[in-house]
């Protein structure tokens, strides 16, 4: 059992606070993805778990073992934490062949030769490097080197996987294949996994749980779709999802007919929502797939198409609304719409998110 508990972890570099009192629980066998903008502290947290950085304060417990405690003065070195790592820098031995690089960890564990050979063939085949096993790292592409690092981690079957963008150097197709394989390896190994990525698709598809970080703090933790559907603040709403959620600053007005959200050239009648006050500043959010094209003269706003992306199976429209932010529309199929065209746009209220003047969620489904 390799549950990981992180309690009140703080890490500073000089006066810069990379991690600010971070606490989280990673269940045994769980796939946890750390997501956030550049510099938010993802790699620092991973390196603290690995034992490659010494935090300034807090506690890390792996299974039943306290591996770091500022209070108890405990700092277990990386080699004694029983974990496998794949970081962006692959750290392969340049003087060893692919096979020997992967075999290294099995030798350290004194794995008997027949078992080690079988395991090597299996993992090298899994990552598609069986035919290159006698090459040296300098004779491999970046993506191939990354796969050697992955095979090395998989070979020893550690109970904890720590990975920092392990697929970032692969081309799109291989990345997709490896993503599926990685999830399979991880669930078969039942390894508790902490994975850093910038890639939204990777986060949504691999994670059991996503932790969204900003400036060294946790903004939200939850299952991928829970975070996607129920962002707790404007930051998370704007960060999760690609293309990002349309976020529009508006004013809430109460009239004889009910409530209306108004922004330049937009007027959105909404049902009564608790906590709104007449004249309150707020932000409403609507994902591109929840914006539809209305018949002329109706809809919540009128917009001019600045750019149309026809991808074959789906269409993205980027539409300018005078005085308001550009609205992104995502619709399935092929739409006969061209740049410069004027459209009426409708927002699906049941999928509209409303945030207060401080950016905290008021409601994630306006009709609820
Ligand atoms: P990226 O996605 O760009 O890799 P990240 O979220 O992984 O970013 P970290 O690498 O953890 O971010 O960095 C967090 C903060 O700590 C940043 O402000 C960074 O500049 C700072 N930092 C990280 N390592 C060091 C270091 N060795 N010395 C000084 N500052 C550092």
């Amino acid at each position: 059992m390799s549950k990981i508990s992180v309690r009140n972890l703080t890490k500073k570099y000089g006066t810069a606070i990379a991690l600010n009192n971070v606490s989280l629980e990673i269940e045994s066998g769980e796939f946890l993805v750390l997501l956030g903008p550049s510099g938010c502290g993802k790699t620092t947290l991973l390196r603290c778990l690995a034992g490659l950085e010494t935090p300034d304060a807090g506690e890390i417990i792996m299974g039943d073992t306290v591996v770091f405690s500022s209070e108890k003065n405990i700092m277990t070195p990386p080699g004694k934490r029983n974990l496998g790592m794949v970081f962006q820098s692959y750290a392969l031995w340049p003087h060893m062949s692919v096979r020997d690089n992967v075999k290294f960890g099995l030798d350290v564990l004194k794995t008997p030769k027949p078992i080690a050979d079988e395991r090597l063939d299996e993992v090298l085949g899994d990552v598609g490097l069986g035919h290159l096993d006698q090459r040296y790292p300098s004779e491999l592409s970046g993506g191939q080197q990354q796969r050697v690092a992955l095979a090395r981690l998989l070979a020893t079957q550690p109970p904890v996987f720590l990975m920092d963008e392990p697929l970032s150097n692969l081309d799109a197709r291989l990345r997709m294949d490896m993503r599926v394989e990685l999830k399979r390896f991880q669930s078969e190994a039942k390894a508790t996994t902490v994975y850093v990525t910038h890639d939204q698709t990777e986060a949504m598809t691999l994670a059991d749980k996503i932790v969204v970080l900003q400036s060294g703090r946790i903004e939200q933790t939850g299952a991928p779709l829970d975070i996607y559907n129920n962002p707790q603040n404007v930051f998370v709403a704007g960060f999760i999802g690609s293309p990002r959620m349309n976020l529009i600053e508006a004013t809430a007005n109460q009239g004889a007919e009910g409530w209306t959200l108004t922004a330049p050239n937009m007027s959105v009648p909404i049902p009564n929502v608790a906590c709104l006050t007449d004249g309150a500043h707020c932000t409403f959010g609507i994902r591109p797939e929840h914006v539809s094209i209305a018949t002329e003269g109706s809809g919540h706003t009128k917009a001019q198409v600045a750019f149309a992306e026809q991808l074959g199976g789906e269409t993205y429209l980027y539409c300018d609304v005078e005085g308001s932010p550009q609205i992104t529309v995502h619709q399935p199929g092929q739409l006969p719409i061209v740049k410069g065209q004027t459209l009426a746009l409708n927002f699906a209220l049941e999928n509209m998110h409303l945030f207060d003047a401080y950016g905290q969620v008021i409601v994630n489904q306006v009709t609820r």
Side-chain angles (χ1 to χ4, degrees):
M1 294 292 278
S2 291
K3 179 177 153 77
I4 302 174
S5 300
V6 175
R7 297 191 186 145
N8 306 106
L9 209 66
T10 293
K11 172 70 187 170
K12 295 180 193 159
Y13 294 105
T15 51
I17 303 179
L19 292 176
N20 196 345
N21 203 24
V22 167
S23 296
L24 68 110
E25 299 290 320
I26 311 161
E27 301 304 327
S28 183
E30 190 168 56
F31 200 124
L32 181 125
V33 171
L34 298 175
L35 196 63
S38 185
C40 70
K42 305 180 292 292
T43 297
T44 303
L45 179 51
L46 204 69
R47 289 176 59 84
C48 288
L49 293 175
L52 298 170
E53 296 285 352
T54 307
D56 292 286
E59 200 169 54
I60 302 172
I61 302 162
M62 292 185 170
D64 299 325
T65 311
V66 179
V67 294
F68 174 77
S69 169
S70 52
E71 222 165 73
K72 297 177 189 144
N73 211 13
I74 296 171
M75 174 66 192
T76 306
K80 298 234 161 96
R81 292 194 182 191
N82 200 13
L83 43 82
M85 308 174 215
V86 181
F87 283 180
Q88 266 168 316
S89 57
Y90 325 114
L92 303 179
W93 298 106
H95 60 289
M96 287 187 189
S97 67
V98 165
R99 194 172 182 87
D100 287 343
N101 260 286
V102 178
K103 189 163 158 277
F104 186 77
L106 294 170
D107 289 344
V108 171
L109 295 175
K110 298 192 170 53
T111 311
K113 189 169 180 320
I115 297 174
D117 281 342
E118 197 181 317
R119 183 87 195 119
L120 278 172
D121 289 340
E122 192 183 329
V123 293
L124 286 169
D126 282 340
V127 300
L129 287 177
H131 61 300
L132 299 178
D133 70 337
Q134 294 310 316
R135 286 217 189 156
Y136 287 87
S138 61
E139 299 169 325
L140 299 174
S141 71
Q144 288 165 337
Q145 291 182 37
Q146 206 156 38
R147 283 186 278 154
V148 179
L150 210 53
R152 191 175 49 186
L153 170 132
L154 295 170
T156 54
Q157 297 174 303
V160 175
F161 291 177
L162 301 181
M163 301 195 226
D164 194 345
E165 307 219 32
L167 309 183
S168 60
N169 286 327
L170 307 182
D171 65 42
R173 180 63 210 262
L174 199 52
R175 197 176 172 126
M176 200 172 83
D177 292 348
M178 286 299 291
R179 199 169 69 216
V180 174
E181 286 298 287
L182 189 61
K183 183 74 180 169
R184 184 173 67 81
F185 296 139
Q186 185 269 343
S187 59
E188 279 173 12
K190 297 188 175 58
T192 308
T193 301
V194 185
Y195 188 101
V196 166
T197 185
H198 280 105
D199 185 310
Q200 298 271 337
T201 314
E202 257 174 52
M204 293 300 286
T205 55
L206 288 172
D208 296 314
K209 191 155 86 190
I210 293 178
V211 171
V212 184
L213 286 166
Q214 182 188 210
S215 305
R217 286 182 185 275
I218 294 180
E219 290 284 345
Q220 190 169 350
T221 301
L225 283 181
D226 181 36
I227 295 191
Y228 189 86
N229 293 331
N230 303 297
Q232 290 307 297
N233 55 46
V234 166
F235 172 78
V236 175
F239 194 77
I240 295 279
S242 177
R244 74 195 289 269
M245 185 188 286
N246 297 297
L247 289 163
I248 297 126
E249 286 184 27
T251 307
N253 298 113
Q254 192 174 24
E257 305 280 298
W259 287 86
T260 306
L261 300 173
T262 53
N265 291 302
M266 286 190 198
S267 176
V268 187
I270 58 166
N272 194 7
V273 172
C275 307
L276 269 187
T277 50
D278 194 18
H281 290 288
C282 59
T283 298
F284 71 88
I286 186 86
R287 293 204 182 275
E289 66 267 31
H290 299 138
V291 183
S292 58
I293 297 161
T295 48
E296 210 182 316
S298 67
H300 296 125
T301 187
K302 205 168 80 175
Q304 194 173 39
V305 180
F307 192 55
E309 280 180 343
Q310 302 278 359
L311 299 187
E314 53 195 335
T315 303
Y316 291 93
L317 305 172
Y318 302 90
C319 304
D320 291 333
V321 179
E322 213 182 318
S324 281
Q326 190 175 64
I327 302 289
T328 308
V329 183
H330 179 201
Q331 291 285 311
Q334 301 173 11
L335 302 183
I337 288 172
V338 292
K339 183 178 168 175
Q341 203 170 325
T342 300
L343 299 174
L345 299 178
N346 217 16
F347 305 138
L349 291 187
E350 67 275 20
N351 298 112
M352 182 180 278
H353 310 260
L354 194 58
F355 304 93
D356 66 17
Y358 303 100
Q360 299 303 309
V361 72
I362 297 173
V363 68
N364 274 308
Q365 283 184 305
V366 167
T367 51
R368 191 183 288 167

